[in-house]
Amino acid sequence: MKILLIIFSLVTYLTCALSDSGTPISLEMACKKALSAVTCSFNFANNGNEDYYLFKRNTPLEGIRSPFLTITREGTLILYEGIIVYRLPPTKENFVLLKAGESISVTVQITDAFSIDTDGLYTVQYSRPLQYLSVNEMSAMSVNQLRESSVRESVQLYLEDTHLLLKPKKEEVKIDYTVHLQDCGSASFSNGDKNNSLTLDAHKKLCDGIDKALRRIGSNDIYERWFGTYTFTRGSTVRSTYDYMKTGLDTRSLTYYNNGPDCKSNEAAYTTPSYWTTTVYLCGPYYGLGTYCSGTGDTKERILAHEWSHALANRADEEYGVDKCKELARSSPDKAINNADSYSYHYCESQ
């Protein structure tokens, strides 16, 4: 065992091909430790005979803006501490063209989003499928027909002197003012006034709205449309998610940060997944949306329901959009009850 550990500590650069056979898009990944960071490089290749557009979202091609990696240390999960972004419908700029036989590479510091502070054997697993469109599909913007290439392989490396590694950065939020609300905790605002009163209106609506959503948990059309076949166990998970959100809204001072420093185009908001996160960062497109729930459209209220399910209840981004969320409920209800967008749609339809 000692010999194996010595080998791992000396050889910290491992490469692994990551793709299912028969798919045109493949991925190779390599990870290594520098003095103060762990970096992973990713090479995406088009092995097919035609050109494809690779979807950049939920991949390192957009940096670490989603948990596309799962990292464990000797079986213990290392929590993702990076941002999770609320996406608006994709445009062509969210894709990169990979011509037949070509590849594209990118390197990211995984210690920007994961706290690696204990020596040991780490497994870094790529845990999201690669999504892509043909040239003709891109011309028609058939984003609901994204093809997928599964990626499940992993890299192992033994890390020593992890106390020297940088930790994920925490944004310091300077509060401009706080509004205390009856039966709804308080809402704080940072980085100026961007029609803060409208965000406050949507925030206050959530406090009562979550109670309405809780009453819709059960074997009924609204529940099953967004979460799939009702069972007591799944229903309990949905209920606990709303309970976490309700408790956070009622008891904590939650902060809205205008024009978040990590905002990019075609993104409305972002936060970090944790039971104790208290800040949602708002981005440009958010401000032009209507305030209250309106069908399945993007509104401030629905986006805040989505973001607080991340921040206060640690829900994930399994799928996005009406059609994808409905299909997720039909095909994989266990994933649907973990999906933030499913909660936002269920919440709004419950109002």
Side-chain angles (χ1 to χ4, degrees), residues 99-161:
K99 294 185 177 181
E102 290 189 348
S103 63
I104 185 173
S105 297
V106 65
T107 298
V108 298
Q109 288 190 177
I110 63 174
T111 38
D112 287 345
F114 296 90
S115 291
I116 297 176
D117 53 13
T118 302
D119 293 2
L121 179 62
Y122 285 78
T123 300
V124 183
Q125 180 177 351
Y126 199 99
S127 52
R128 300 285 299 206
L130 302 181
Q131 297 179 302
Y132 57 96
L133 293 172
S134 69
V135 173
N136 289 337
E137 289 164 340
M138 173 57 72
S139 298
M141 277 305 291
S142 304
V143 294
N144 288 329
Q145 299 176 359
L146 281 166
R147 309 186 198 187
E148 290 192 352
S149 174
S150 297
V151 178
R152 297 189 180 91
E153 298 299 324
S154 61
V155 165
Q156 287 188 321
L157 65 164
Y158 188 86
L159 297 176
E160 294 180 322
D161 298 326

Side-chain angles (χ1 to χ4, degrees), residues 116-349:
I116 297 176
D117 53 13
T118 302
D119 293 2
L121 179 62
Y122 285 78
T123 300
V124 183
Q125 180 177 351
Y126 199 99
S127 52
R128 300 285 299 206
L130 302 181
Q131 297 179 302
Y132 57 96
L133 293 172
S134 69
V135 173
N136 289 337
E137 289 164 340
M138 173 57 72
S139 298
M141 277 305 291
S142 304
V143 294
N144 288 329
Q145 299 176 359
L146 281 166
R147 309 186 198 187
E148 290 192 352
S149 174
S150 297
V151 178
R152 297 189 180 91
E153 298 299 324
S154 61
V155 165
Q156 287 188 321
L157 65 164
Y158 188 86
L159 297 176
E160 294 180 322
D161 298 326
T162 52
H163 64 282
L164 299 175
L165 297 174
L166 296 175
K167 301 299 183 287
K169 296 179 181 179
K170 303 297 182 183
E171 184 73 34
E172 291 188 12
V173 178
K174 180 181 178 181
I175 303 300
D176 293 341
Y177 66 91
T178 300
V179 179
H180 298 281
L181 304 167
Q182 184 176 359
D183 300 324
C184 193
S186 57
S188 299
F189 292 89
S190 181
N191 201 30
D193 189 346
K194 290 284 292 184
N195 286 327
N196 291 350
S197 61
L198 297 180
T199 297
L200 184 61
D201 287 343
H203 177 95
K204 289 188 290 187
K205 186 73 160 38
L206 286 175
C207 296
D208 293 329
I210 288 177
D211 288 332
K212 293 180 181 179
L214 281 165
R215 291 196 290 270
R216 294 288 190 170
I217 297 173
S219 183
N220 58 69
D221 289 345
I222 293 178
Y223 175 94
E224 292 179 357
R225 186 164 19 259
W226 303 112
F227 298 120
T229 302
Y230 177 81
T231 67
F232 177 80
T233 300
R234 293 192 194 113
S236 296
T237 298
V238 174
R239 182 173 297 279
S240 66
T241 297
Y242 280 126
D243 284 341
Y244 277 121
M245 294 167 65
K246 177 68 173 175
T247 299
L249 286 161
D250 287 349
T251 64
R252 302 181 68 80
S253 180
L254 304 180
T255 299
Y256 296 102
Y257 189 114
N258 287 312
N259 293 322
D262 287 318
C263 288
K264 292 187 177 181
S265 62
N266 215 30
E267 297 175 348
Y270 67 88
T271 188
T272 53
S274 168
Y275 290 112
W276 304 113
T277 297
T278 58
T279 302
V280 165
Y281 299 84
L282 306 175
C283 303
Y286 165 88
Y287 302 109
L289 300 174
T291 302
Y292 300 119
C293 287
S294 177
T296 56
D298 286 318
T299 65
K300 293 179 175 66
E301 185 181 5
R302 192 172 76 78
I303 287 175
L304 297 188
H306 178 117
E307 292 303 290
W308 288 125
S309 77
H310 281 316
L312 297 173
N314 209 28
R315 297 300 94 184
D317 277 339
E318 304 282 356
E319 288 291 358
Y320 256 89
V322 176
D323 294 338
K324 291 284 190 180
C325 287
K326 288 181 178 178
E327 175 57 32
L328 190 69
R330 289 191 292 267
S331 63
S332 186
D334 287 335
K335 286 187 176 181
I337 63 174
N338 189 47
N339 186 45
D341 226 22
S342 300
Y343 284 91
S344 75
Y345 289 122
H346 176 267
Y347 167 87
C348 279
E349 192 171 356

